[in-house]
């Protein structure tokens, strides 16, 4: 890792303080874990700091460990040719995370998908607060979040309509 | 109460197996029809036609009956040749695209169009609930009627012309403009958004391309000094316009062809029915026989535009050895094929490009050609 | 008087909302675009996806690792082998499997064949979008020959499922190399003819040149990848920047255009077909003898951890992220499809263009809905 | 001037395109396959409908009911019930629900006995969902007859085995009895 990158990471450590849970370089991949409230600041720093410039939104997804949700932002730097994995862990009750659509517009639909499948609120998303506009893969009136571990599909009784009545 | 069984027994035959007996039967039926046709044709000259002839002369001399007979002839001709043209188009497109085209009904699919027409006749006649019923029903006829009317002045030979109108070209221009009325009615009447866009596009397109087309035709009129289509052909006795007056007539012909493509809504000007954008444009909502009428009108217009090009530039019915109408037919089909060839080669223009091409290029170009023709006439006349 | 004036951007009585899709000739699958039109101009567009949502990620997570490979066939059904490669690589990384050298070459060959097939679909459907039906059928004629070759190798035409964790399911049949070379000879000749028929056509040019321009900054900020990114002048090809399998040992050029319009994306794809043909020839020439299948554990239980693979599918970056908890089934399989990202750019790209341009732009993004909806 | 040149270039390139379509019109062999009448020659590796090959020498289908294929299947297409035991095992029910099948080839690769194959038959569409449920009678090469013969072979083999076992047991018992008798004699 280059000196400016080290400096940028040091600056990040300083800026976030406790918010930065861990930060390590693992086989060419930068792995970071931040507190949920520090996410937006960290993301902005990762994109804009000299020596990092993670300008390419690779991916954004979540999974359910059973106890909490893990949200991972996979970022890529077109100048460094390096990947960063920015990780946030959320409590299941009232899980919410700040939107990064303003930083990387390409994260818009990924965030909608995270809401759609896991029910994690995306604070500050252009469509936030309107479930009918946030839903992306599922029908807009779908109830529940099917990728959660505790999701129980409700069978509508009609095999042609799948688990839920949709329109 | 007992429920019906969930699973029906499996069919013993898939229905896809090729049954040799069935094919043989089809073949035999075809042969029988052919034999019968030959028999009738050979018997025809032996019938006592002499008895019928005076009767025909008698009723034919009555102006109303005369007009009716001519109208009937034109209508029957249009319907029959459209059946052929649609088959030709499908075969032509197929071969061009390394396919075979229709193959199953009749010899090489020759009866496919008839089968399609029968199918369309038997289809449910759907009128959308919120459509403007009167316009919706009238639109197919509004597009078809002007095309039918134009055939009245199209000379297949010196004699074979329903009405040898001295102002033929004016008549053609006046009548063909009305086609856009039908497409607009279809687009508005169906109360469908795609139709509306398609109808608006069609109207704008047809009206715009009328102008360069008319100017291109007027340069022929300038050259020949007459508006009668038969007269124009007769003037080409010593050489077709496109050869004898090549410097001005070739550009005029090209302009005419491009405008013809636009009038016919054919690629690259098929925006009114642009499939990838507007599904089917102004006839999206039409089905059954009403849809067939649009098709009929389109292909009849195709033949007519080609026939007009032949009349204006390629010496109409003139030609050695063969009878005049056959020459006219051959030439017209050749031009129709050219239309098809272009259609199946090029992509589609965008609406603003289509309009820009007309107003920024074709209109000035046609005016230039028109002026050049005037100069040419002066030079050649002196 | 001012009350009559509509606010800028607000809907007026001349606005018209139309639905393109889910059944529409140009949406290439079940995509629905809610488009607000002002005459011929697009005021706004909102893509509605999910008609093909099958929960593939969850289905894969509910099965042992190696059984998830056939599901990836259904992601990008135009280029199934590339999806197979992505998941296989992810599984190899999480389980620490090695791939024999011959298998690496076979994989690259199969992927590039599938890339040509996929780009031929793009070529054909794009021509049809612009209105040239004949080029569509020509492209499908060549693709048919290519699919016959894939069928001869893998036994299936679309859902091949032949690249597996640890290698390739079987070696080539006898005489396959010659058949592929014979196809490539004819194909390159045909490609030149297509160039004359479509690329050189002035109508095609005016329809695509300067339409739907994506600036390099925007392409990166949106996470565009593949030909969309390279059409905007960003030289990123994962086969080069993060090489995998036999790609580091093959020579090929990465086609790059700087215009960023529909024509640039089209030209990048056409040139990529030529480069793919080059790669296939090299693979056939340089392929070493050996095993097509690496050593595999009988019961596959990777240690708890995470692994991801990034591959260059014909549409762009297809990456798969696996999360393992030490059991036989993964906790999470995440598929990042390029089409999903590209489709999310559409509303911004089509604002203010004409309907016909919208179709041209949508076609030039070359989305496959199987991958968008997963 | 530039306008005229570009117009001429465009005109010429359209003519070139028309030449290509014309060459295809007259010169090229047409590639249409008139499907129900002509059928494609699919590759021998084609992954079509399944069958259980019948082994003439052994007089049985190869399947031993080990359920490896059912375990390898991602979508749970295969269900079977085992018949017999040990060396002489087969199945008396083997059902595949093709409605869920992905034709992914994993079951065939999983089988160590070469007992399940895919044929080149590709016309699997039907108007009836019931058709996609393939029972062993439809799957076995040779149909119900093959299944019947397999059953007989297995039963015969089992009987033979049982007889052999009984004989061995009897012999053992006899030997034991003999030994006992000898022991008794000794005592």
């Amino acid at each position: 890792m280059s000196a400016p990158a080290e400096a940028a990471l040091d600056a990040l450590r300083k800026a976030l303080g406790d918010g930065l849970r861990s930060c390590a370089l693992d086989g060419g991949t930068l792995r970071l874990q931040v507190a949920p409230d520090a996410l937006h600041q960290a993301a902005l720093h990762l994109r804009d700091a000299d020596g990092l410039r993670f300008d390419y939104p690779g991916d954004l997804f979540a999974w359910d460990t059973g106890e909490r949700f893990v949200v991972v932002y996979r970022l890529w730097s077109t100048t460094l040719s390096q990947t960063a994995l920015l990780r946030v862990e959320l409590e299941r009750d009232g899980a919410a995370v700040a939107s990064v659509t303003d930083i990387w517009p390409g994260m818009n639909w990924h965030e909608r998908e995270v809401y759609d499948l896991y029910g994690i609120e995306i604070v500050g998303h252009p469509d936030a607060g309107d479930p009918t506009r946030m839903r992306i893969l599922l029908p807009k009136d779908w109830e529940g979040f099917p990728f959660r571990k505790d999701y129980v599909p409700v069978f509508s009784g009609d095999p042609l309509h799948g688990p839920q009545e949709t329109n | 109460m007992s429920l019906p069984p969930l699973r029906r027994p499996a069919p013993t035959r898939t229905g896809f197996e090729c049954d040799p007996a069935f094919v043989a039967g089809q073949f035999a039926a075809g042969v029988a029809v052919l034999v019968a046709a030959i028999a009738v044709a050979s018997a025809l000259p032996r019938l006592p036609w002499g008895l019928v002839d005076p009767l025909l002369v008698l009723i034919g001399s009555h102006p109303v009956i005369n007009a009716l007979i001519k109208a009937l002839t034109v209508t029957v001709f249009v319907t029959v040749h459209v059946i052929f043209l649609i088959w030709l188009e499908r075969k032509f497109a197929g071969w061009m695209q390394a396919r075979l085209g229709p193959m199953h009904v009749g010899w090489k699919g020759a009866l496919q169009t008839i089968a399609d027409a029968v199918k369309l006749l038997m289809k449910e006649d759907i009128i959308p609930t919120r459509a403007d019923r009167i316009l919706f029903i009238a639109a197919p006829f509004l597009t078809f009627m002007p095309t039918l009317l134009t055939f009245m002045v199209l000379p297949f030979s010196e004699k074979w012309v329903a009405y040898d109108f001295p102002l033929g070209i004016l008549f053609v221009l006046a009548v063909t403009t009305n086609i856009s009325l039908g497409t607009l009615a279809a687009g508005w009447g169906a109360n469908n958004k795609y139709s509306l866009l398609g109808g608006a596009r069609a109207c704008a397109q047809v009206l715009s391309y009328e102008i360069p087309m008319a100017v291109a035709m007027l340069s022929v009129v300038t050259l020949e000094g007459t508006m009668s289509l038969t007269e124009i052909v007769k003037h080409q006795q010593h050489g077709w316009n496109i050869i004898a007056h090549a410097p001005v007539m070739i550009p005029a012909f090209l302009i005419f062809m491009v405008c013809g493509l636009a009038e016919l809504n054919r690629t690259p000007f098929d925006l009114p029915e642009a499939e990838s954008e507007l599904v089917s444009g102004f006839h999206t909502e039409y089905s059954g026989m009403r849809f067939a009428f649009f098709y009929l009108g389109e292909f009849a217009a195709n033949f007519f535009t080609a026939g007009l090009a032949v009349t204006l530039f390629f010496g109409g019915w003139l030609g050695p050895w063969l009878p005049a109408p056959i020459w006219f037919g051959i030439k017209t089909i050749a031009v129709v094929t050219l239309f098809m060839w272009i259609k199946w080669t090029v992509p589609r223009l965008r609406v603003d490009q289509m309009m820009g091409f007309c107003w920024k290029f074709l209109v000035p170009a046609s005016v230039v050609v028109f002026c050049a023709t005037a100069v040419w006439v002066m030079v050649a006349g002196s | 008087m001012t009350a009559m004036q509509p606010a800028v951007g607000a809907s007026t009585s001349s606005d018209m909302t139309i639905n393109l899709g889910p059944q529409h000739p140009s949406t290439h699958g079940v995509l629905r675009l809610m488009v607000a039109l002002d005459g011929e101009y697009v005021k706004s567009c909102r893509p509605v996806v999910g008609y093909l949502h099958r929960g593939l990620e969850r289905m894969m997570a509910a099965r042992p690792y190696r059984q998830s490979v056939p599901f990836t066939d259904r992601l990008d059904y135009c280029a199934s082998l590339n999806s197979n490669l992505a998941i296989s690589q992810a599984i190899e990384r999480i389980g620490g499997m090695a791939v024999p050298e011959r298998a690496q070459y076979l994989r690259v060959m199969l992927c590039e064949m599938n890339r040509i097939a996929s780009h031929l679909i793009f070529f054909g459907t794009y021509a049809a979008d612009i209105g040239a039906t004949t080029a569509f059928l020509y492209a499908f004629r060549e693709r048919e020959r290519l699919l016959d070759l894939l069928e001869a190798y893998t036994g299936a035409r679309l859902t091949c499922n032949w690249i597996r964790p640890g290698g390739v399911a079987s070696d080539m049949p006898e005489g396959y190399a010659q058949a592929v070379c014979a196809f490539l000879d004819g194909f390159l000749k045909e490609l030149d003819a297509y160039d004359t028929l479509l690329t050189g056509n002035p109508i095609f040019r005016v329809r695509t040149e300067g339409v739907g321009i994506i600036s390099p900054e925007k392409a990166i900020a949106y996470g565009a990848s593949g030909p969309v990114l390279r059409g905007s002048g960003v030289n990123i090809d994962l086969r080069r920047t993060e090489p995998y399998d036999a790609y580091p040992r093959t020579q090929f050029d990465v086609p790059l255009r700087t215009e960023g319009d529909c024509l640039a994306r089209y030209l990048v794809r056409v040139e990529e077909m030529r480069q793919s043909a080059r790669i296939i020839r090299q693979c056939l020439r340089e392929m070493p003898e050996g095993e097509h299948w690496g050593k595999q554990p009988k019961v596959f239980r990777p240690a708890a951890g995470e692994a991801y693979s990034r591959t260059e599918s014909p549409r762009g970056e297809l990456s798969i992220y696996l999360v393992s908890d030490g059991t036989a089934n993964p906790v999470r399989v995440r598929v990042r499809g390029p089409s999903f990202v590209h489709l999310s750019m559409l509303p911004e790209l089509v604002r203010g263009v004409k309907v016909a341009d919208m179709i041209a732009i949508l076609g030039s993004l070359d989305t496959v809905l199987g991958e968008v909806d997963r | 001037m530039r306008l005229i040149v570009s117009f001429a270039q465009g005109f010429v390139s359209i003519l070139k395109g028309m030449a290509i379509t014309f060459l295809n019109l007259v010169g090229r062999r047409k590639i249409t396959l008139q499907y129900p009448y002509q059928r494609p020659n699919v590759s021998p590796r084609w992954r079509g409908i399944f069958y259980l090959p019948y082994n003439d020498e052994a007089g049985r289908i190869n399947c031993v009911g080990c359920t490896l294929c059912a375990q390898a299947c991602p979508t749970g297409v295969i269900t079977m019930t085992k018949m017999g035991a040990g060396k002489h095992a087969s199945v008396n029910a083997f059902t595949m629900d093709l409605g869920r099948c992905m034709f992914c080839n994993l079951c065939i690769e999983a089988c160590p006995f070469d007992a399940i194959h895919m044929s080149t038959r590709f016309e699997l569409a039907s108007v009836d969902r019931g058709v996609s449920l393939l029972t062993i009678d439809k799957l076995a090469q040779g149909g119900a007859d093959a299944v019947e013969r397999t059953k007989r072979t297995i039963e015969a083999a089992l009987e033979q085995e049982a007889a052999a076992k009984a004989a061995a047991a009897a012999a053992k018992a006899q030997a034991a009895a003999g030994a006992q008798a000898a022991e008794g004699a000794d005592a």
Side-chain angles (χ1 to χ4, degrees):
Chain A
M1 179 150 276
S2 62
E6 288 290 355
L9 284 179
D10 278 341
L12 183 67
R13 273 188 204 108
K14 218 167 280 167
L16 293 183
D18 261 358
L20 188 70
R21 300 277 158 81
S22 71
C23 171
L25 196 66
D26 166 26
T29 306
L30 184 65
R31 287 174 192 270
L32 301 125
Q33 186 174 352
V34 297
D37 9 324
L39 173 77
H40 193 272
Q41 200 188 347
L44 202 61
H45 189 84
L46 284 176
R47 188 193 66 171
D48 288 340
D50 280 329
L52 294 176
R53 297 243 178 258
F54 286 101
D55 48 0
Y56 185 91
D59 199 357
L60 159 53
F61 58 97
W63 73 84
D64 185 358
T65 61
E67 292 107 42
R68 56 173 70 84
F69 295 126
V70 181
V71 185
V72 169
Y73 297 73
R74 188 165 60 72
L75 311 167
W76 200 61
S77 167
T78 49
T79 45
L80 284 181
S81 286
Q82 197 176 33
T83 303
L85 292 169
L86 180 62
R87 189 180 162 118
V88 185
E89 293 195 1
L90 305 170
E91 293 306 316
R92 290 180 73 94
D93 295 332
V97 73
S99 169
V100 291
T101 302
D102 51 336
I103 303 175
W104 297 284
M107 290 296 195
N108 186 332
W109 279 27
H110 292 310
E111 285 180 343
R112 279 175 69 189
E113 194 187 325
V114 165
Y115 169 79
D116 196 16
L117 301 177
Y118 290 94
I120 299 172
E121 291 294 334
I122 312 291
V123 182
H125 187 275
D127 294 328
D130 183 356
T132 58
R133 282 178 72 84
M134 279 300 273
R135 288 277 185 200
I136 179 162
L137 295 176
L138 297 174
K140 59 179 190 283
D141 52 354
W142 191 272
E143 279 169 29
F145 303 100
F147 275 33
R148 285 189 178 191
K149 282 231 162 124
D150 52 2
Y151 177 75
V152 185
V154 189
F155 186 57
S156 66
D158 182 352
L160 293 179
H161 278 96
Q164 270 188 18
E165 194 70 42
T166 63
N167 50 4
Chain B
M1 198 183 90
S2 68
L3 289 165
L6 192 63
R7 293 197 176 105
R8 280 167 287 133
T12 46
R13 280 185 48 175
T14 59
F16 270 130
E17 288 135 7
C18 173
D19 185 353
F22 180 69
V23 174
Q26 234 183 359
F27 186 72
V31 170
V33 167
L34 202 68
V35 167
I38 293 169
V40 169
S42 55
L44 273 179
R46 287 174 214 145
L47 290 177
W49 288 111
L51 294 177
V52 186
D53 204 35
L55 196 69
L56 274 180
V57 171
L58 194 72
I59 59 168
S61 60
H62 192 280
V64 174
I65 293 174
N66 190 332
L68 274 178
I69 288 173
K70 281 177 174 172
L72 200 67
T73 317
V74 167
T75 315
V76 168
F77 169 76
V78 168
T79 322
V80 170
H81 92 254
V82 162
I83 285 173
F84 167 73
L85 277 190
I86 291 178
W87 174 79
L88 181 71
E89 166 113 48
R90 293 175 68 173
K91 280 310 237 193
F92 192 83
W95 290 335
M96 195 162 259
Q97 298 169 343
R99 298 185 286 121
L100 289 172
M103 286 296 282
H104 282 279
V105 192
W107 177 79
K108 299 265 177 202
L111 302 178
Q112 183 66 50
T113 324
I114 297 172
D116 285 348
V118 171
K119 180 197 79 178
L120 286 173
L121 267 172
M122 292 194 298
K123 273 187 136 180
E124 187 190 352
D125 179 32
I126 299 167
I127 300 176
T129 326
R130 301 190 51 191
D132 188 329
R133 281 183 74 93
I134 296 170
L135 282 184
F136 188 82
I137 293 167
F141 305 104
L142 281 179
T143 48
F144 182 53
M145 281 315 290
T147 320
L148 207 56
L149 277 176
T150 53
F151 274 85
M152 284 293 180
V153 294
L154 192 66
F156 285 66
S157 79
E158 199 174 347
K159 295 274 162 50
W160 286 33
V161 48
Y163 180 40
D164 188 6
F165 195 30
L167 296 175
I169 287 183
L170 200 64
F171 177 78
V172 166
L173 284 172
V175 165
T176 48
T177 313
N178 289 321
I179 295 176
S180 58
L181 211 61
T183 47
L184 197 60
W188 183 259
N191 199 2
N192 175 313
K193 289 160 181 171
Y194 298 125
S195 300
L196 183 61
L197 279 174
R201 283 180 178 188
C203 194
Q205 177 175 322
V206 171
L207 290 181
S208 309
Y209 279 82
E210 280 283 291
I211 295 162
M213 192 176 193
V215 178
M217 281 156 81
L218 280 184
S219 34
V220 180
V221 173
T222 320
L223 196 71
E224 306 291 1
T226 174
M227 278 198 170
S228 161
L229 291 169
T230 40
E231 287 297 314
I232 287 176
V233 176
K234 278 184 212 158
H235 285 198
Q236 300 181 48
Q237 292 278 6
H238 308 294
W240 299 354
N241 272 346
I242 197 146
I243 297 167
H245 308 284
V248 287
M249 280 297 110
I250 286 178
F253 171 67
L254 289 178
I255 292 170
F256 182 87
M257 276 297 285
V258 172
C259 298
L261 281 171
E263 297 267 302
L264 295 170
N265 297 341
R266 311 208 112 215
T267 333
F269 303 103
D270 64 341
L271 301 98
E273 45 200 82
E275 195 210 353
S276 59
E277 299 149 32
L278 304 181
V279 187
S280 199
F282 60 86
H283 52 67
T284 305
E285 290 285 359
Y286 283 89
S287 63
M289 211 49 214
R290 290 181 215 286
F291 173 73
F293 261 97
F294 278 115
Y295 240 67
L296 207 62
E298 190 186 318
F299 278 86
N302 206 342
F303 186 88
F304 171 75
T305 313
L308 197 60
V310 167
T311 308
L312 295 178
F313 302 102
F314 294 101
W317 64 77
L318 300 172
W321 310 309
L322 291 172
I326 291 185
W327 266 116
F328 182 80
I330 290 172
K331 289 177 188 174
T332 308
I333 295 295
V335 177
V336 167
T337 318
L338 185 61
F339 279 138
M340 291 176 185
W341 188 3
I342 296 172
K343 168 170 179 170
W344 294 108
T345 303
V346 295
R348 180 188 311 122
L349 280 167
R350 201 171 59 206
V351 68
D352 57 324
Q353 290 160 350
M354 177 268 288
M355 295 302 268
F357 184 63
C358 178
W359 291 103
K360 289 182 190 156
F361 180 77
L362 281 182
V363 171
S366 62
V367 172
V368 169
V369 169
F370 179 65
C371 297
T373 317
V375 174
W376 176 264
V377 169
M378 268 160 42
V379 173
S382 62
Chain C
M1 207 56 204
T2 47
M4 297 289 287
Q5 294 264 315
V8 177
S11 64
T12 62
S13 60
S14 65
D15 274 10
M16 185 161 76
T17 308
I18 65 170
N19 277 303
L20 264 75
Q23 290 110 15
H24 189 275
S26 73
T27 49
H28 304 203
V30 276
L31 165 69
R32 173 173 164 217
L33 300 174
M34 287 160 74
V35 190
L37 290 181
D38 182 8
E40 285 270 349
Y41 288 91
V42 176
K43 287 188 93 174
S44 71
C45 159
R46 189 174 165 84
V48 179
V49 299
Y51 291 92
L52 220 54
H53 179 58
R54 297 141 289 178
L56 267 182
E57 290 174 352
R58 178 113 193 211
M59 281 160 82
M60 291 201 272
R63 286 170 172 75
Y65 284 87
R66 280 179 291 198
Q67 286 185 15
S68 58
V69 180
F71 288 95
T72 57
D73 283 339
R74 277 88 187 154
L75 285 171
D76 176 356
Y77 38 74
C78 300
S80 59
L81 284 162
N82 286 280
S83 317
N84 292 165
L85 180 69
I87 186 101
S88 300
Q89 246 178 41
I91 295 173
E92 281 151 17
R93 281 186 193 165
I94 205 164
M97 285 187 222
V99 183
E101 206 179 342
R102 185 176 175 82
Q104 293 185 0
Y105 275 98
L106 286 172
R107 282 177 168 198
V108 168
M109 184 192 79
L110 281 172
C111 281
E112 293 303 320
M113 282 167 72
N114 221 331
R115 188 184 309 273
I116 294 180
S118 169
H119 281 347
L120 276 174
I121 290 194
F122 161 77
F123 179 92
T125 51
Y126 198 52
D129 280 348
I130 304 289
T133 9
T134 302
F136 170 77
L137 279 139
Y138 290 173
F140 271 67
R141 176 182 62 194
E142 293 316 305
R143 175 172 175 267
E144 204 62 21
R145 288 181 186 146
L146 193 49
L147 289 191
D148 284 346
L149 282 175
L150 285 177
E151 179 195 313
Y153 189 168
T154 70
R157 300 162 73 79
L158 282 180
T159 52
C160 297
N161 182 34
W162 219 242
I163 295 177
R164 308 279 175 75
V168 182
S170 80
D171 213 326
M172 294 191 285
E174 229 169 275
Y176 193 66
Q178 289 87 323
V180 173
C181 282
F183 162 77
L184 288 179
D185 289 339
F187 168 70
L188 289 176
K189 232 174 271 164
E190 284 294 324
L191 203 55
D192 291 338
Y194 301 165
D195 261 356
T196 322
L197 179 64
L198 197 64
T199 317
N201 191 302
I203 299 174
F204 180 76
R205 290 221 162 222
V206 297
R207 278 299 303 281
T208 50
E209 238 167 3
V211 171
I213 294 178
I214 306 174
S215 67
E217 296 79 32
K218 198 199 263 179
I220 288 175
Y222 267 95
S225 49
V228 177
L229 191 60
R230 292 192 286 279
S232 295
V234 184
N235 191 357
I236 291 175
D237 187 327
L238 295 173
R239 293 175 293 173
R240 269 287 161 72
T241 47
E242 295 189 358
Y244 47 91
D245 279 346
Y247 282 117
R249 295 183 289 271
T250 48
Q251 259 120 50
F252 62 98
D253 299 328
V254 179
L256 195 69
R257 308 284 302 188
T258 49
E259 296 90 347
D261 54 4
C262 291
L263 184 67
R265 296 192 273 282
Y266 164 86
L267 289 173
V268 165
R269 290 197 180 95
V270 171
E271 185 56 33
E272 266 186 20
M273 285 197 259
R274 294 208 171 85
Q275 296 301 329
S276 293
R278 213 174 128 193
I279 298 173
I280 295 171
R281 289 227 171 119
Q282 284 176 44
C283 286
L284 288 172
R285 212 170 37 232
E286 290 160 17
M287 195 179 292
E289 291 298 317
E291 281 291 306
H292 62 84
W293 193 261
K295 211 172 175 182
Q296 295 205 19
K298 213 158 199 164
V299 185
F300 188 70
R301 276 182 213 276
E306 293 157 26
Y308 67 92
S309 75
R310 301 174 75 197
T311 55
E312 183 78 21
S313 94
R315 280 165 189 80
E317 177 190 332
L318 174 69
S319 56
I320 291 186
Y321 200 102
L322 287 177
V323 182
S324 160
D325 61 351
T327 57
N329 297 359
V331 175
R332 175 84 161 104
V333 183
R334 161 69 185 178
V335 180
R336 187 264 197 205
S339 302
F340 185 75
V341 178
H342 292 159
L343 200 58
S344 76
M345 300 172 76
L346 192 70
E348 175 134 357
L349 285 179
V350 300
R351 197 165 294 134
V353 304
K354 293 193 184 56
V355 182
D357 282 344
M358 181 171 76
I359 305 299
I361 292 168
L362 177 63
S364 77
L365 295 177
D366 191 20
T367 52
V368 165
L369 269 293
E371 193 179 68
V372 174
D373 294 343
R374 297 187 298 278
Chain D
M1 198 61 214
R2 209 168 52 84
L3 190 79
I4 294 170
V5 168
S6 66
F7 177 76
Q9 277 171 350
F11 191 72
V12 168
S13 59
I14 285 189
L15 287 186
K16 273 190 195 157
M18 285 171 73
I20 284 172
T21 44
F22 184 72
L23 285 179
N24 274 288
L25 174 73
V26 292
R28 203 59 70 83
R29 198 172 57 83
K30 308 295 177 244
I31 50 155
T32 305
L33 191 77
Q34 290 183 278
Y35 165 60
Y37 306 109
Q38 305 171 333
R39 269 144 215 268
N41 289 324
V42 296
S43 100
R45 288 195 181 188
W46 180 266
R47 307 215 293 262
I49 202 160
F50 297 90
Y51 67 97
L52 305 176
Y54 180 75
N55 189 336
D56 248 340
E57 268 173 45
R60 52 171 291 179
I61 54 175
N62 287 340
C63 182
V64 300
C66 67
T67 70
L68 275 181
C69 53
Q71 287 166 31
C73 181
T75 46
V77 168
I78 305 170
T79 48
M80 61 179 89
T81 42
K82 198 166 174 168
M83 163 175 84
K87 267 201 250 166
H88 305 291
S90 188
V91 283
N92 51 15
F94 190 98
T95 312
M96 298 187 81
D97 183 1
L98 288 198
R100 306 152 73 154
C101 182
M102 295 200 282
F103 295 89
C104 64
N105 209 40
L106 290 184
C107 51
I108 287 141
E109 284 163 31
C111 183
F113 300 97
D114 203 22
I116 179 165
H117 279 190
M118 274 165 142
S119 71
T120 52
R121 228 186 95 198
F122 57 90
E123 285 144 318
L124 307 179
S126 93
V127 291
D128 188 0
R129 284 191 195 197
V131 172
S132 65
L133 197 75
L134 296 182
T135 54
I136 190 163
D137 290 352
K138 289 185 193 158
L139 281 168
Q141 192 180 18
D145 190 34
V147 179
E148 199 51 47
R149 266 190 277 173
T150 307
K151 210 172 266 177
R152 266 186 272 135
T153 310
I154 296 292
E155 271 163 15
L158 281 177
E159 262 169 42
Q160 214 171 5
E161 200 182 57
K165 215 180 246 174
K172 208 172 168 190
Q174 211 167 14
Q180 220 166 23
E183 239 171 65
D186 275 354

